[in-house]
Amino acid sequence: MKKKILKNGVEEPAMKTNVSVSFRILFFVLLALLVITFCFYMFYISPRYGVEEISGSEIPENRSYHIVIVGRSQNESFLKDIFTGAEEISREYDCVVEMNVPKSTVERESLQNLLDYASYTNADGVIAYMDESDFNVEVPLNKDKETIPLVTVAQYLPSVSQISYIGTNYSELGRKISYECTTYLRGRGSLIVINTNMENNPNYSILMSSLTNSLSNWMNIDTSVIELSSSSEIHKRNAIVERKIREDAVNLIVCLSSEDTIHAAQLVTDMGIGGEIGIIGFGEGSVVEKYLENGIVTELLSIDSQKIGRSALRELFEYIRYGHANNYITADVRVKKAGSL
């Protein structure tokens, strides 16, 4: 056997050097595989399934069914309430409920990708928050290529094969808002309704028609509708509303979205009349809730999203067990009043 003579005169077998080289090669091969695996996850798996998973504090290990709630990050607060409602009764149906929303609000996630996640996990049912742009989504399939039962909320889309839709009766909502207005004004006064560029949504046409028709029955209530474009600058919109408030001595402002409710609350605060003029708002979220707590927003109407979660889960299992479900369910409207929190 050949020997290698070292500087200190000690002889070392060449085989030891070869083994050392082999270990170095093996180390670098394993390192390269690790880097490739990490890159594959970061650039393919993570973007495709980069979602926030929210479930109960203690996930049951042996439940038989898996239900997924999906939607975009801008609707996270609403979806969390849906999850809470569904999770409350999950034990009754022997199921685990999971919520998946994109982690970031910067990039608009395709709802189709979120539905594909349900296929990836072989879910037994899906609850999905829809909007007008989702008309071409495909219902997810399970591992046997069978359609996964889908319950949709928010926007009804006839092109989507849902087993049930849970949404708002906009005609009834208009009458409900009218009732809250007349109760606040005690049958007399002046109010403005802020309508922000709702012409692309036929549901809001129904809402506005119902609301204005109901208010027209009150002879001593002066109702004005201010049509605003959501794309216009905030200060221009505020100037229009402020001028109307001062000219007509408005007693009440009615808003039909969370965004308009926030803008109205900010405006009356800047005008120094916060709490002196009533605001009936619509929607959910920490900002509008804060204005309600402070008494700037007088009343806040919203959809009872926790009840939607319970109803959606019941309809899914009605379909899973018996093959049928209610096609349409009306969501309840919840009213919160300042001073009662």
Side-chain angles (χ1 to χ4, degrees), residues 177-193 211 215 218-224 248-254 276-280 298-299 337:
I177 295 174
S178 172
Y179 171 79
E180 295 300 327
C181 292
T182 56
T183 300
Y184 174 83
L185 294 172
R186 298 180 180 179
R188 182 181 297 274
S190 174
L191 69 86
I192 56 173
V193 180
L211 173 58
L215 289 171
W218 295 80
M219 301 300 295
N220 293 322
I221 293 180
D222 180 32
T223 302
S224 300
D248 293 359
V250 172
N251 307 112
L252 177 65
I253 302 172
V254 180
E276 298 175 16
I277 182 173
I279 297 178
I280 293 181
T298 313
E299 294 185 24
K337 298 186 178 184

Side-chain angles (χ1 to χ4, degrees), residues 47 117 127 196 278 294 297 335:
Y117 175 82
I127 302 168
T196 307
N294 294 337
V297 172
V335 179

